[in-house]
Amino acid sequence: MKAFEWVSPTTVQEAAELLQSGSTARDMDEHARPIAGGQDLLTTMKDYATRPVRVVNLKEIKGLNRIEGDARKGLRIGALVTLAQLEDHAVVKRSFPGLAEAANSVASQQIRNLGTIGGNLCQRPRCWYYRLEEAYCLKKGGSECFAVNGENKYNAILGGGPSYIVHPSDLAPVLVALGASVNVTGASGKRVIPLEKFFTLPSEGSIRRENVLRNDEIITEIQVPASALAAHSTYLKFKERDSLDFALASVAAAIALDAGKKVREARLVLGGVAPIPWRVPKAEAFLAGKTLSASVLAEAAKLALDGAESMGKNEYKIPLTQTLVRRALAKVGGVTS
Ligand SMILES: Cc1cc2nc3c(=O)[nH]c(=O)nc-3n(C[C@H](O)[C@H](O)[C@H](O)COP(=O)(O)OP(=O)(O)OC[C@H]3O[C@@H](n4cnc5c(N)ncnc54)[C@H](O)[C@@H]3O)c2cc1C
């Protein structure tokens, strides 16, 4: 790991200014970085994928580790709330079950005790070419996505190109499904960003980033609105190893039903298959007004993977994700699939 300066500000404003003044290097991977639980940042530093000149510790900033609200008001979740806090929180478990399930699905208890929601949303890709020190891939400023002609078993089937990473966060799909937004503070001000507009495809914005955050900006809070969708939400994740692992594919589903048990609104967001949490509006529109049945679930699953393309070794993700979509909808709709 390259040597770095460690600073521990006590206010968000001070942290943003330290990030700004530490971001003058020509290579963006050397710019100052915030650290929360360190469960991802330190691994990218050990792999030399990032080499920040300054690491800005957020843990001394008070007030960012609280969960407030309820089903009626919605949730306000501080960026330093740990995944363990989220999965154990009574209101989250009862009224936002998909969010509790997603938090519980991350890694191991030890990682969830330290890893935060802010860090989870901003974690970097797990693509092994990106993580391999010797591979100077597109994400690091190189000219090639080595997954295209290489080992692409874990890469994107949707929305990829020219880089084919998948977004690794388990919380992102469910937070997008629930219509969450993030409060962000930078050296020159604050803004609120709907999470659906937070993540960026490699073909948009900078290929070297996964979201719209500027270098001096910090997520301070995640807001999850109250909605009829939250109570009927779930997160299903398929892993290669049953112990700790990232998603080969995952699905966040949330539905609101009317009095006649017809779908009033449906949200479906796929994880582990695209460079961003992948919302599937065609399948959502198809579900609206329908009574859920095995055939409706099958058609929704087909539509959800519309446009999916195999890179060679990741074709299995298409039927796998379709199965997860059917199961997730069956679970939230109380249908036997
Ligand atoms: C073995 C292992 C298995 C894992 N498995 C999973 C998994 O199954 N699912 C999953 O989703 N994740 C997984 N992770 C990834 C990750 O460590 C955790 O999800 C965790 O939530 C990261 O949070 P952190 O606070 O430790 O982040 P940090 O490591 O502190 O930060 C991660 C990134 O976010 C930035 N950052 C942190 N906080 C903020 C903020 N408030 N505002 C702006 N930027 C910020 C940092 O600069 C850094 O780039 C795994 C990690 C390991 C090591």
Side-chain angles (χ1 to χ4, degrees):
M1 191 188 280
K2 200 171 149 257
F4 57 88
E5 180 194 8
W6 175 268
V7 289
S8 282
T10 52
T11 67
V12 173
Q13 187 61 32
E14 200 191 337
E17 282 163 17
L18 283 162
L19 286 169
Q20 188 179 49
S21 59
S23 297
T24 52
R26 195 158 351 133
D27 189 327
M28 62 196 287
D29 286 333
E30 294 177 9
H31 290 176
R33 294 295 312 158
I35 190 167
Q39 298 302 294
D40 183 58
L41 183 70
L42 294 175
T43 62
T44 62
M45 289 169 70
K46 286 178 187 168
D47 294 338
Y48 288 87
T50 55
R51 302 166 300 282
V53 289
R54 175 183 292 162
V55 173
V56 180
N57 175 27
L58 303 181
K59 292 276 199 177
E60 297 298 323
I61 303 173
K62 301 248 179 320
L64 298 184
N65 59 356
R66 287 197 285 264
I67 303 176
E68 288 169 358
D70 54 36
R72 207 170 43 80
K73 295 193 218 122
L75 294 176
R76 295 177 54 196
I77 307 170
L80 291 181
V81 164
T82 63
L83 305 176
Q85 258 177 289
L86 259 187
E87 67 176 314
D88 289 339
H89 195 272
V91 172
V92 178
K93 282 206 283 199
R94 191 173 55 242
S95 306
F96 300 81
L99 184 54
E101 288 165 15
N104 175 261
S105 80
V106 174
S108 62
Q109 184 67 55
Q110 289 90 336
I111 289 172
R112 297 196 297 275
N113 287 345
L114 289 169
T116 64
I117 184 167
N120 186 275
L121 295 175
C122 298
Q123 62 178 298
R124 305 304 311 275
R126 303 304 297 193
C127 176
W128 49 25
Y129 294 110
Y130 171 71
R131 297 276 167 162
L132 184 69
E133 190 187 340
E134 294 77 17
Y136 188 51
C137 74
L138 270 179
K139 291 292 293 178
K140 295 192 251 186
S143 57
E144 196 181 333
C145 175
F146 297 114
V148 174
N149 296 310
E151 291 302 329
N152 49 43
K153 176 178 171 184
Y154 302 113
N155 292 83
I157 51 171
L158 286 160
S163 154
Y164 289 82
I165 59 143
V166 296
H167 204 281
S169 165
D170 282 312
L171 295 190
V174 75
L175 286 169
V176 169
L178 296 179
S181 51
V182 286
N183 290 3
V184 162
T185 298
S188 53
K190 299 182 182 189
R191 54 183 180 142
V192 180
I193 310 168
L195 211 53
E196 211 175 337
K197 297 200 178 345
F198 179 76
F199 298 102
T200 49
L201 284 171
S203 55
E204 313 163 343
S206 165
I207 199 167
R208 297 182 65 188
R209 294 182 183 270
E210 294 80 47
N211 59 54
V212 297
L213 271 192
R214 291 192 287 266
N215 211 69
D216 60 313
E217 287 182 319
I218 297 161
I219 296 178
T220 55
E221 187 174 280
I222 294 86
Q223 298 184 34
V224 188
S227 82
L229 294 159
H232 299 280
S233 62
T234 193
Y235 183 70
L236 296 190
K237 167 178 176 180
F238 191 89
K239 304 180 277 188
E240 196 165 36
R241 292 179 301 175
D242 228 10
S243 56
L244 79 167
D245 214 345
F246 289 87
L248 290 180
S250 66
V251 174
I255 57 168
L257 298 173
D258 66 17
K261 296 260 178 207
K262 284 196 168 48
V263 175
R264 201 169 64 225
E265 191 180 358
R267 301 266 179 91
L268 272 177
V269 185
L270 313 181
V273 292
I276 57 173
W278 192 258
R279 194 164 166 193
V280 286
K282 266 194 197 168
E284 291 176 356
F286 165 78
L287 287 164
K290 301 268 187 327
T291 303
L292 294 180
S293 64
S295 62
V296 167
L297 302 194
E299 183 59 20
K302 211 166 99 194
L303 288 171
L305 273 292
D306 193 36
E309 279 180 23
S310 163
M311 296 176 75
K313 296 180 179 170
N314 59 358
E315 186 153 1
Y316 71 94
K317 287 195 178 195
I318 300 173
L320 171 62
T321 314
Q322 286 173 334
T323 302
L324 290 176
V325 170
R326 281 203 315 274
R327 287 186 185 169
L329 286 172
K331 187 172 169 200
V332 290
V335 179
T336 316
S337 68

